[in-house]
Amino acid sequence: MKKTLAIAAVVLLGLNLSFGAAAKTLRLAYDADPVSLDPHEQLSGGMVQLSHMVFDPLVRWNRETTFDPRLASSWERLDPHTVRFHLRQDVKFHSGNDFTANDVAWTFKRLKTSPDFKGLFQPFKELKVIDDYTIDLVTTDPYPLVLHMATYIFPMDSKFYTGEDDKGNPKDMLKKHADTFASVNASGTGPFIVSKRQQGVRVDFKRFEGYWDKESKGNVDEIVLTPIKEDPTRVAALLSGDVDFIAPVPPTDLDRIRNNDKVDLITMSGTRIITFQLNQERRPEFKDKRVRQAIVHAVNNEGIVQKIMKGFGTASGQQSPVGYLGHVASIKPRYDLAKAKQLMKEAGYEQGFSVTMMAPNNRYINDDKIAQAVSSMLARINIKVDLKTMPKAQYWPKFDERAADIMMIGWHSDTEDSSNFTEFLAMCPDKETGYGQYNSGNYCNKEIDKLILASQGETDEGKRAAMLQQVEQMLYDDAAFVPLHWQDLAWAARKGVHIEDIVNVMNFPYLGDLVID
Amino acid sequence: MIAFLIRRIGQALVVMFVISLLSFSIQDNLGDPLRELVGQSVSEAERQALRDQMGLNDPFLAQYWRFLRKAVQGDLGNSYFFKRPALEVIMEKFPATMELVLGATLIILLLSVPIGVYCAINPRSWFTRVMMGLSIVGISIPVFLTAIMLIYLFSIHLGWLPSYGRGETVMIGAWESGLLTWDGVLHLILPSIALSSIMLPLFIRLIRSEMMEVLEQEYIRFAWAKGLQRRRIWFLHALKNTLLPVITVGGVQIGTMIAYTILTETVFQWPGMGFLFLEAVNRVDTPLIIAYLIVVGLIFVVTNTVVDLIYGLVNPTVKLTRGLA
């Protein structure tokens, strides 16, 4: 069965190639291909990128970090607990089924069972179907991020996923590391249909004829996605014309691509913050605010961005990037070696002390080099650092053990909202509630916890912004962690492929709207 | 012969058992497979539940026993990433790797024999000196560097050859071949050169020194004295005996070459077993890692056995006179 399918696919592909002279094909190279076709199996950048190709969300982010209508054409808040969405009526799934409110309800129910999404959808009590094209999203408590979360609701074709597959398992079975129906079959409303998939080698997409968004200027008929893991090879494939569009672009090759007149480079300041956490439980010295401040003052993060990141990042003094509610414009990086020495002296550690530090070496851009730079910067205030770097696969278990005094962590807010940073990185660690799950510093300030919890129930944007900004200010004053920078994002494409119109700070290129000359 | 084969099969089983035990016992040090399977904000309780479900929390011996029981039935477990039997995934990638090794072997054979012989016959010629110099350079440059330099020269600068992947492939039964399409052959050239770059200099030097040794021997002098033609002496009498040790080393090196495919395939995004393995390590896809190690162990045993057999066939006396095998 599989073999005949594969042969048929090869034949079809051959036919496509011979007829495809006029068709616009985008050859796309990412560093990895999607792990599954089931949008609920894993919450990762790659999976959301896939979801935007094969499915459509209710609403989606735009360049101004506000929301554009997609399958929901409009919405309004009925009361602090309820947001009503009006759905588009002219939408069909790839299978030909009509899209209705029942599909959204079905998808919502499935999201609530997904290990990766159920936490994010915790605040939601239910999804009420009012009529075929109207739904209410109801939250247990007043919740400000309903629209943020609606960007994760990619309605799936409930009829298509109902029944049993040929192994006798239910078609909607959601299981990691298992050969489920949904992980190899997909029917969404999105601009592209997966026509062929060879995991780890290539994924072929073709445009969905019945796509509802007739206003989209997108003119790509086919996409061939190839994962190219090695940075130099990915760049070489673009420069030699073997592919049209690559992401990510390694910082070492930015200049080469910028100076090449056959390709375009687009960069954007990103939202992933890179930090070091100072473990107060392991090191009594770090309990002293002055020591933490001294360390932050000793780390020249602007220098790191310039020298190590080659300008491919934005040095930061806080967690929230520009555009987030909690961003405080007045907080700047604060490198000042003299002040750092002064603070160490005041704290009584003029002679310094020795600490251990751990960082991954293949998770964030230049992570190991950054860690080396920081450890030599700390040497200048007499803190001797014993640094260990390791691949991420080994790093995360160490991080969970809190195995070193200073540990690196980068964070991208899944909700694209400030409170998510603090919730995971800086709230008092609590096994029961899961707050502070990645707070290896054990920094704990009840005041901040209160503010964050209050902000999660505050639907007035102005009041909420004030709370979140207060949190950033307190974290800054307390030197709760060592902020380094926000990683930039970069994409590159051959001239004539207008990616500048479709890329965004969330790093979900809206390929359905891509125009190729 | 039969007894020899049975003994070899027994050895192969022992080798694979040891490999499985070793790779199974290092899996805890590889990292946590869960990390690659779940998003960042999944709670610890949720992770524990998943670990329980996957049997990762069972004691080592229980896990290993479960693995062994299935392994004797040919089931090496399901890959976490591919969600299919690990052995099936590896077998799918096997043709890509074999064709790459074949390409590299052809380059080595076609170049090393003539160059090696020439260098042995004309030890003082400028060509010999250049070749000997180049071969030192070739051995010393790491494969991935050679590969990247090849890509920059032939794909970006000259634009002659494609930079990555296998190109168009054709299914022959279960064997996915890139050798039958022009596109596939073009894609094979650079990776093959890169892969051969380590072994080629080695073989040139090996053939040269073996040949020089053979040329010094009594029977060659006797042949000269008899007034035989030069070509006949060089290519018939001398070359034949030169190639015997080359076959042995060659057989062993084919196994080593499979190891080198890990680097070559990664740089060229070649969808073979080596690339698969490296990715599996990064993703802590333990069942796939173990299955790969066992399969490669088997390939080593098989190639060595075949070489021993060929060796016996080509010259039964060699085993007695030289203990190289």
Side-chain angles (χ1 to χ4, degrees):
Chain A
M1 177 66 188
K2 262 184 197 152
K3 248 178 246 165
T4 40
L5 266 183
I7 292 169
V10 169
V11 172
L12 275 177
L13 190 75
L15 287 176
N16 274 346
L17 286 176
S18 51
F19 289 122
K24 301 253 193 233
T25 302
L26 175 74
R27 293 162 304 161
L28 169 66
Y30 283 150
D31 56 345
D33 59 335
V35 295
S36 167
L37 295 186
D38 185 343
H40 298 165
E41 191 175 312
Q42 183 172 351
L43 175 51
S44 61
M47 285 306 293
V48 184
Q49 283 165 358
L50 175 82
S51 300
H52 277 286
M53 295 166 82
V54 180
F55 301 85
D56 266 308
L58 292 182
V59 299
R60 79 179 181 194
W61 291 99
N62 58 23
R63 278 283 180 75
E64 290 73 42
T65 49
T66 54
F67 303 96
D68 280 345
R70 296 306 287 170
L71 293 182
S73 49
S74 63
W75 54 88
E76 70 252 357
R77 189 173 270 286
L78 298 184
D79 60 59
H81 295 267
T82 316
V83 176
R84 171 160 294 177
F85 290 86
H86 301 280
L87 305 176
R88 300 191 62 95
Q89 309 200 354
D90 50 353
V91 180
K92 281 207 185 302
F93 284 108
H94 298 160
S95 64
N97 295 334
D98 286 318
F99 161 73
T100 69
N102 287 325
D103 298 304
V104 187
W106 186 90
T107 305
F108 177 80
K109 237 170 83 191
R110 196 163 183 266
L111 275 168
K112 290 280 258 178
T113 65
S114 157
D116 284 52
F117 287 93
K118 66 161 84 147
L120 285 169
F121 280 88
Q122 189 64 42
F124 292 87
K125 195 168 118 204
E126 59 177 333
L127 186 150
K128 273 198 222 150
V129 175
I130 306 301
D131 63 40
D132 266 3
Y133 297 103
T134 315
I135 55 158
D136 282 351
L137 266 178
V138 186
T139 54
T140 322
D141 299 308
Y143 189 58
L145 304 179
V146 173
L147 285 176
H148 294 65
M149 295 316 299
T151 63
Y152 282 120
I153 304 180
F154 291 89
M156 296 166 77
D157 186 347
S158 61
K159 288 198 193 98
F160 177 80
Y161 292 100
T162 302
E164 282 185 357
D165 62 11
D166 45 15
K167 286 188 220 67
N169 292 318
K171 284 186 177 170
D172 63 345
M173 184 164 80
L174 175 58
K175 205 172 169 195
K176 290 176 188 288
H177 67 84
D179 188 8
T180 61
F181 176 81
S183 71
V184 287
N185 295 284
S187 172
T189 61
F192 294 104
I193 300 174
V194 176
S195 53
K196 189 187 162 206
R197 178 165 172 255
Q198 220 186 332
Q199 200 172 6
V201 182
R202 67 186 267 173
V203 192
D204 291 54
F205 299 88
K206 65 173 197 293
R207 198 167 185 94
F208 173 37
E209 297 291 337
Y211 189 48
W212 60 271
D213 189 358
K214 307 287 182 214
E215 280 161 34
S216 165
K217 292 197 192 81
N219 68 349
V220 176
D221 302 299
E222 279 169 37
I223 296 180
V224 179
L225 188 163
T226 320
I228 303 185
K229 181 86 188 156
E230 282 295 293
D231 288 339
T233 314
R234 198 162 55 248
V235 172
L238 176 73
L239 295 181
S240 64
D242 289 337
V243 299
D244 305 314
F245 177 19
I246 63 166
V249 180
T252 40
D253 287 312
L254 289 173
D255 283 337
R256 171 183 287 122
I257 290 180
R258 206 175 275 131
N259 296 333
N260 188 308
D261 48 12
K262 280 189 236 141
V263 295
D264 283 323
L265 175 74
I266 314 283
T267 60
M268 216 179 261
S269 182
T271 57
R272 183 184 291 281
I273 181 78
I274 308 295
T275 69
F276 274 110
Q277 294 175 334
L278 309 169
N279 195 326
Q280 305 182 18
E281 216 149 79
R282 290 174 61 102
R283 301 303 299 222
E285 296 94 329
F286 292 158
K287 283 207 168 83
D288 189 328
K289 186 163 100 182
R290 288 166 298 186
V291 174
R292 300 199 301 267
Q293 282 172 338
I295 289 175
V296 175
H297 279 101
V299 172
N300 181 3
N301 56 356
E302 282 172 312
I304 289 177
V305 166
Q306 253 172 43
K307 293 278 189 272
I308 298 178
M309 301 295 286
K310 311 236 189 278
F312 192 64
T314 312
S316 72
Q318 58 190 320
Q319 305 170 120
S320 301
V322 182
Y324 277 36
L325 275 188
H327 181 78
V328 182
S330 60
I331 296 184
K332 300 278 179 228
R334 43 177 161 172
Y335 169 59
D336 183 344
L337 192 55
K339 179 134 188 233
K341 283 183 173 155
Q342 178 65 28
L343 282 161
M344 285 292 274
K345 200 170 167 187
E346 280 170 27
Y349 293 109
E350 204 180 357
Q351 303 306 315
F353 47 87
S354 299
V355 294
T356 56
M357 179 194 271
M358 276 185 195
N361 59 19
N362 61 355
R363 177 62 190 86
Y364 311 112
I365 300 170
N366 291 330
D367 37 16
D368 52 339
K369 296 195 194 83
I370 293 168
Q372 280 159 18
V374 169
S375 56
S376 62
M377 286 168 184
L378 293 186
R380 283 188 256 160
I381 54 170
N382 295 325
I383 298 180
K384 278 211 336 238
V385 177
D386 174 15
L387 169 68
K388 237 192 220 162
T389 64
M390 59 198 85
K392 60 181 175 184
Q394 278 118 63
Y395 181 69
W396 292 122
K398 292 282 181 206
F399 187 88
D400 285 344
E401 282 168 32
R402 313 290 190 242
D405 304 335
I406 301 180
M407 302 197 89
M408 184 188 267
I409 177 95
W411 197 258
H412 164 257
S413 162
D414 283 334
T415 52
E416 311 288 339
D417 176 78
S418 296
S419 66
N420 181 277
F421 286 114
T422 312
E423 191 184 321
F424 283 95
L425 301 180
M427 272 175 74
C428 305
D430 184 336
K431 283 238 157 62
E432 294 286 302
T433 59
Y435 290 127
Q437 193 181 339
Y438 290 83
N439 181 356
S440 80
N442 290 301
Y443 170 82
C444 181
N445 183 338
K446 296 283 180 224
E447 197 101 354
I448 285 176
D449 281 26
K450 241 189 257 164
L451 275 167
I452 289 294
L453 293 178
S455 82
Q456 289 176 349
E458 179 55 69
T459 50
D460 181 298
E461 194 164 291
K463 283 190 202 153
R464 198 159 175 271
M467 290 174 179
L468 293 173
Q469 286 172 12
Q470 194 187 341
V471 168
E472 285 291 1
Q473 190 64 48
M474 288 166 78
L475 290 172
Y476 173 87
D477 294 341
D478 259 357
F481 59 93
V482 186
L484 292 168
H485 53 260
W486 295 287
Q487 276 179 192
D488 277 359
L489 296 167
W491 306 264
R494 135 178 102 73
K495 282 224 163 34
V497 178
H498 295 283
I499 56 166
E500 64 274 15
D501 303 324
I502 59 144
V503 295
N504 49 48
V505 75
M506 275 63 67
N507 197 7
F508 312 143
Y510 297 141
L511 293 165
D513 298 336
L514 178 65
V515 177
I516 300 184
D517 289 343
Chain B
M1 170 90 169
I2 305 268
F4 170 76
L5 276 183
I6 291 174
R7 212 166 56 222
R8 268 305 158 94
I9 291 171
Q11 283 172 4
L13 286 177
V14 172
V15 166
M16 287 192 290
F17 175 77
V18 172
I19 290 175
S20 78
L21 189 63
L22 280 179
S23 47
F24 217 85
S25 52
I26 58 164
Q27 65 172 346
D28 280 342
N29 298 318
L30 289 173
D32 179 5
L34 245 294
R35 277 284 168 183
E36 293 299 309
L37 294 174
V38 300
Q40 57 181 10
S41 45
V42 171
S43 71
E44 189 49 41
E46 202 65 57
R47 283 175 213 269
Q48 276 307 337
L50 279 168
R51 273 190 205 108
D52 273 339
Q53 197 189 14
M54 292 166 71
L56 294 173
N57 282 340
D58 298 344
F60 174 78
L61 280 178
Q63 288 192 44
Y64 187 59
W65 178 239
R66 195 167 52 216
F67 166 80
L68 268 191
R69 264 203 334 235
K70 285 189 176 169
V72 290
Q73 296 164 8
D75 175 7
L76 297 180
N78 272 14
S79 154
Y80 299 148
F81 178 73
F82 290 92
K83 308 177 175 74
R84 288 188 290 133
L87 209 54
E88 190 184 306
V89 175
I90 289 175
M91 282 306 138
E92 236 174 61
K93 309 282 179 187
F94 183 74
T97 299
M98 273 350 246
E99 287 183 2
L100 178 57
V101 171
L102 181 74
T105 311
L106 276 181
I107 292 176
I108 293 171
L109 279 183
L110 293 181
L111 291 181
S112 68
V113 174
I115 295 178
V117 169
Y118 179 90
C119 293
I121 298 171
N122 309 298
R124 277 179 230 293
S125 101
W126 64 269
F127 181 78
T128 303
R129 283 164 207 259
V130 170
M131 276 299 137
M132 290 301 108
L134 277 183
S135 67
I136 286 286
V137 176
I139 290 179
S140 341
I141 297 181
V143 174
F144 64 88
L145 197 61
T146 318
I148 287 174
M149 291 193 310
L150 286 172
I151 293 178
Y152 271 91
L153 183 60
F154 289 101
S155 302
I156 297 184
H157 262 282
L158 300 170
W160 291 350
L161 293 166
S163 54
Y164 77 95
R166 264 189 103 187
E168 211 182 322
T169 55
V170 177
M171 296 296 288
I172 309 169
W175 187 282
E176 188 189 5
S177 175
L179 297 177
L180 299 179
T181 61
W182 181 236
D183 190 46
V185 173
L186 281 183
H187 278 83
L188 183 62
I189 296 176
L190 286 187
S192 302
I193 297 178
L195 182 58
S196 65
S197 69
I198 288 283
M199 299 295 170
L200 183 59
L202 189 79
F203 275 88
I204 293 178
R205 296 184 88 87
L206 180 74
I207 291 173
R208 171 179 169 270
S209 59
E210 279 299 325
M211 182 92 172
M212 285 174 87
E213 204 179 301
V214 170
L215 286 176
E216 292 297 311
Q217 284 187 7
E218 290 289 323
Y219 77 95
I220 297 290
R221 289 182 193 201
F222 190 71
W224 285 120
K226 230 170 99 180
L228 287 182
Q229 272 188 346
R230 284 198 302 185
R231 288 167 187 281
R232 207 175 153 74
I233 295 173
W234 284 337
F235 297 115
L236 195 75
H237 296 291
L239 186 60
K240 237 179 167 180
N241 279 327
T242 303
L243 288 183
L244 283 170
V246 175
I247 290 175
T248 325
V249 178
V252 177
Q253 295 299 342
I254 283 183
T256 315
M257 207 134 81
I258 289 175
Y260 274 107
T261 59
I262 295 180
L263 291 172
T264 317
E265 289 182 1
T266 306
V267 176
F268 287 98
Q269 193 72 27
W270 188 263
M273 293 172 8
F275 179 61
L276 182 79
F277 176 67
L278 205 67
E279 286 283 271
V281 170
N282 280 333
R283 278 193 289 257
V284 203
D285 194 341
T286 338
L288 200 53
I289 295 173
I290 295 173
Y292 173 85
L293 292 175
I294 290 178
V295 168
V296 170
L298 184 68
I299 293 176
F300 263 85
V301 175
V302 168
T303 44
N304 278 338
T305 310
V306 171
V307 167
D308 285 353
L309 289 179
I310 293 178
Y311 212 66
L313 291 179
V314 172
N315 192 348
T317 62
V318 169
K319 244 181 213 156
L320 303 173
T321 50
R322 290 188 199 173
L324 266 176

